[in-house]
Amino acid sequence: MAGAGEVLTLQLGHFAGFVGAHWWNQQDAALGRGTSAKESLGELCPDVLYRTGQTLHGQETYTPRLILMDLKGSLNSLKEEGGLYWDKQLDAAVAWHGKLTTHKEEVYPQNPHLQDLLSAEGVRSSDGFWRVKSIPNGKESSVRVWSDFLRVHLHPRSICMIQKYNHDGETGRLEAFGQGESVLKEPRYLEELEDRLHFYVEECDYLQGFQILCDLHDGFSGVGAKAAELLQDEYSGRGIITWGLIPGSCSLGEPQKNIYRLLNTAFGLVHLTAYSSFVCPLSLGGSLGLRPQPPVNFPHLHYDATLPFHCSAILATALDTVTVPYRLRSSPVSMVHLANMLTFSGKKVVTAGAVIPFPLVPGQSLPDALVQLGGATPWTPLSACGNPSGTHCFAQSVVLRGIDRACHTSQLTPGTPLPSPLHACTTGEEVLAQYLHQQQPRVTSSSHLLLTPCRVAPPYPYLFSSLSQQGMVLDGPPRGTAVHSIPVFGALCSSSSLHQTLGGLATELTKLDLRRWASFLDAGVEQDEMEELLQELHSLAQCYQDGGGLMD
């Protein structure tokens, strides 16, 4: 295959399911919802994330190379085995003439507010885009589970349900890190995960690694830690990149939930860091700690931080951008090489940031837009590590996508005084590299410039204000059809902001009276593990204490 090699994705947890559903919908939109594997040869290689297969009737399929784990009751009307390979004729052909006893499990109805969307197969328009109905603004709060809006067929070996815990209700919840660890200590779930891993890995020509989308705030942080440990043990030398996901808002009125969120996040970060090539927290919240901070702001987006449907869409868009290097068709950067660049000297936690959308005005060139953007830290922070202004950046991987080639360089009339050195550059790649060097001259930077935009077709929520169909910033309200793609500017950074963030987590944990939260320890964490956790957090924080590349 073209590209750096195949990637196997693991989605662990319900918020990870939300981010994953948007992520796969965006990949599907980029494919034009084609069912054949080689529909188009673009800058990104879909074979990195997708696999080919056949149904029992010989129909070719192209499905995500994906294993997802979630709790009982989280699928709603989606079948655990998916619908693509289900053979009605085969079911009808199985006959039994003896006595039958039927054990019927509760059937979850489709979300009534979304049935129009889910039943709409859509149509392909003249411009090649697949049109489906969007979810009306007033009904977006009715999206309760990620399966409500997933529009991608999954392989029967993708979904793995943890039946011993409930998605809904007051009891039987997967709340604590220790509970999550214990799930993959049970032979039933461990063997199921191993079987699915072997199925996907053995059919790869060259597996470059694994990307784990994992909830950090609940017991799935423990599931993720054990899964990463298993991957490191069985597939040594492959990349393991973990995206630790945290919903955007927390409730001040639920102290136990907030304390558990702090503990799960801390245990998850430390354990996942031990087994991953790097870990990147992703959240629209302002802080990983107990003290609430307002959610981050995007100048051209209007979103509701209390809706997972909104928050996960934004994080999926950032993820679709910062993962570009190891998904490129030509000259890709493998997961291992990307991690090596970002994580020297023990810095195995990185931060993410993005400009969504990149603010390009009609008639403007890329040099014009970058000069107007200015600032050493143009990205909105997406790792809940506070304001990055005044912090140090040690290394960064930057992707700018969705800018038309005609806009890459200055279009000034010869002889016109140049507004900036960027206007003297002769290629878009040179413009971007020069911009990064100007802003942060002592920082190791890797940059990629792509023509391919980020797809935001329905059921992606309509979050945009004053954007054209291609995501360009307009002076007034948009005219005509809705936004279907946007340019995005994203970055991964090894940042000194993590010194304060990780050290702050350790400080908050030190102040906790653990006797009040004995239930967390009862869930499978020992007191000496808490002491070890504090030491590991302090050690990690020290890795980011100083270094060149001032970002102010």
Side-chain angles (χ1 to χ4, degrees):
M1 61 169 280
E6 297 93 345
V7 171
L8 174 54
T9 302
L10 279 71
Q11 279 173 215
L12 310 174
H14 201 66
F15 189 60
F18 267 82
V19 175
H22 281 300
W23 157 276
W24 293 114
N25 286 345
Q26 288 179 311
Q27 308 313 309
D28 198 49
L31 286 172
R33 285 192 62 88
T35 54
S36 69
K38 304 294 187 291
E39 177 165 331
S40 62
L41 294 176
E43 295 167 303
L44 299 175
C45 179
D47 291 347
V48 171
L49 300 173
Y50 279 74
R51 61 177 295 280
T52 57
Q54 279 192 338
T55 67
L56 293 172
H57 296 298
Q59 178 190 356
E60 183 181 335
T61 61
Y62 200 48
T63 53
R65 191 178 295 106
L66 168 69
I67 300 171
L68 69 85
M69 301 185 79
D70 209 335
L71 307 180
K72 182 179 179 181
S74 63
L75 293 184
N76 213 349
S77 58
L78 179 66
K79 292 182 173 62
E80 186 172 341
E81 67 278 7
L84 191 60
Y85 286 72
W86 183 44
D87 191 332
K88 294 180 181 178
Q89 292 180 335
L90 190 64
D91 282 355
V94 177
W96 169 252
H97 299 291
K99 185 178 179 181
L100 287 174
T101 303
T102 302
H103 300 273
K104 193 170 184 179
E105 203 172 45
E106 179 185 357
V107 176
Y108 291 90
Q110 285 189 348
N111 187 324
H113 297 297
L114 306 176
Q115 284 187 6
D116 285 347
L117 167 73
L118 296 169
S119 63
E121 289 301 320
V123 293
R124 190 185 304 248
S125 60
S126 58
D127 59 6
F129 290 99
W130 193 264
R131 309 294 186 197
V132 297
K133 294 182 180 179
S134 60
I135 298 174
N137 286 337
K139 295 183 178 178
E140 289 183 346
S141 61
S142 70
V143 179
R144 300 296 186 190
V145 294
W146 53 263
S147 54
D148 277 346
F149 63 94
L150 177 70
R151 295 196 59 85
V152 178
H153 285 299
L154 301 181
H155 189 274
R157 289 182 182 256
S158 280
I159 300 176
C160 177
M161 299 306 295
I162 301 173
Q163 298 290 347
K164 66 181 295 184
Y165 292 109
N166 297 319
H167 168 62
D168 285 317
E170 296 301 317
T171 60
R173 306 295 294 271
L174 184 59
E175 296 177 310
F177 178 87
Q179 291 174 303
E181 273 196 318
S182 68
V183 167
L184 289 185
K185 290 178 181 177
E186 292 187 29
R188 170 188 173 184
Y189 295 111
L190 178 60
E191 290 170 9
E192 193 167 358
L193 177 58
E194 288 177 327
D195 287 346
R196 292 164 192 258
L197 285 170
H198 294 157
F199 170 78
Y200 285 114
V201 169
E202 287 168 7
E203 66 181 12
C204 293
D205 293 327
Y206 177 75
L207 177 75
Q208 64 164 311
F210 305 86
Q211 57 180 12
I212 303 174
L213 280 64
C214 175
D215 287 2
L216 272 186
H217 62 290
D218 58 22
F220 272 101
S221 61
V223 177
K226 293 303 290 183
E229 181 181 5
L230 172 65
L231 295 178
Q232 190 191 64
D233 288 345
E234 291 206 17
Y235 305 100
S236 178
R238 308 298 186 189
I240 303 172
I241 293 179
T242 299
W243 310 99
L245 302 165
I246 306 168
S249 61
C250 59
S251 172
L252 291 175
E254 299 178 278
Q256 176 168 320
K257 187 172 288 187
N258 286 329
I259 295 294
Y260 272 40
R261 176 180 56 82
L262 179 74
L263 288 162
N264 289 324
T265 299
F267 271 99
L269 279 175
V270 165
H271 284 76
L272 284 163
T273 299
Y275 302 116
S276 303
S277 305
F278 69 74
V279 177
C280 180
L282 287 176
S283 175
L284 300 185
S287 168
L288 294 179
L290 289 177
R291 184 175 298 173
Q293 299 291 334
V296 297
N297 177 58
F298 296 87
H300 300 287
L301 295 184
H302 298 291
Y303 75 98
D304 185 341
T306 66
L307 293 182
F309 182 60
H310 282 188
C311 296
S312 57
I314 296 170
L315 294 179
T317 299
L319 196 59
D320 191 34
T321 300
V322 299
T323 58
V324 156
Y326 57 83
R327 299 193 288 126
L328 289 169
R329 187 177 298 279
S330 62
S331 303
V333 178
S334 72
M335 298 176 105
V336 170
H337 285 119
L338 179 64
N340 288 342
M341 187 197 79
L342 292 170
T343 62
F344 57 90
S345 303
K347 300 178 181 71
K348 290 180 69 177
V349 182
V350 304
T351 63
V355 181
I356 305 174
F358 180 75
L360 191 67
V361 175
Q364 212 177 31
S365 69
L366 177 57
D368 296 332
L370 288 173
V371 168
Q372 188 173 322
L373 193 62
T377 54
W379 299 281
T380 298
L382 297 177
S383 293
C385 293
N387 189 341
S389 178
T391 62
H392 300 272
C393 178
F394 305 104
Q396 63 182 359
S397 170
V398 175
V399 175
L400 176 57
R401 61 185 301 186
I403 306 296
D404 189 87
R405 195 183 302 278
C407 302
H408 281 186
T409 56
S410 174
Q411 304 300 314
L412 292 175
T413 305
T416 305
L418 298 179
S420 79
L422 300 182
H423 289 76
C425 297
T426 57
T427 67
E429 288 77 10
E430 188 183 345
V431 170
L432 181 56
Q434 175 76 6
Y435 170 78
L436 296 174
H437 179 72
Q438 281 182 1
Q439 303 301 322
Q440 303 165 42
R442 292 175 287 166
V443 175
T444 301
S445 292
S446 167
S447 61
H448 293 88
L449 179 64
L450 276 71
L451 302 174
T452 308
C454 208
R455 305 295 183 191
V456 290
Y460 195 97
Y462 192 81
L463 308 175
F464 312 105
S465 60
S466 300
L467 294 186
S468 71
Q469 196 174 6
Q470 289 78 33
M472 299 189 82
V473 178
L474 303 175
D475 287 335
R479 296 181 299 273
T481 56
V483 180
H484 63 61
S485 65
I486 55 172
V488 179
F489 195 19
L492 296 174
C493 178
S494 176
S495 169
S496 66
S497 64
L498 288 159
H499 173 66
Q500 182 174 348
T501 298
L502 297 171
L505 279 179
T507 300
E508 290 201 57
L509 289 170
T510 304
K511 295 177 181 177
L512 284 184
D513 181 0
L514 288 176
R515 290 171 299 182
R516 289 188 58 199
W517 311 106
S519 56
F520 187 88
L521 300 179
D522 292 343
V525 173
E526 303 293 337
Q527 180 66 45
D528 57 350
E529 290 181 83
M530 280 294 300
E531 301 300 325
E532 189 177 334
L533 170 72
L534 294 174
Q535 292 176 9
E536 292 289 343
L537 278 175
H538 282 301
S539 296
L540 265 178
Q542 287 300 111
C543 294
Y544 301 90
Q545 186 162 15
D546 60 22
L550 191 63
M551 289 177 64
D552 57 14

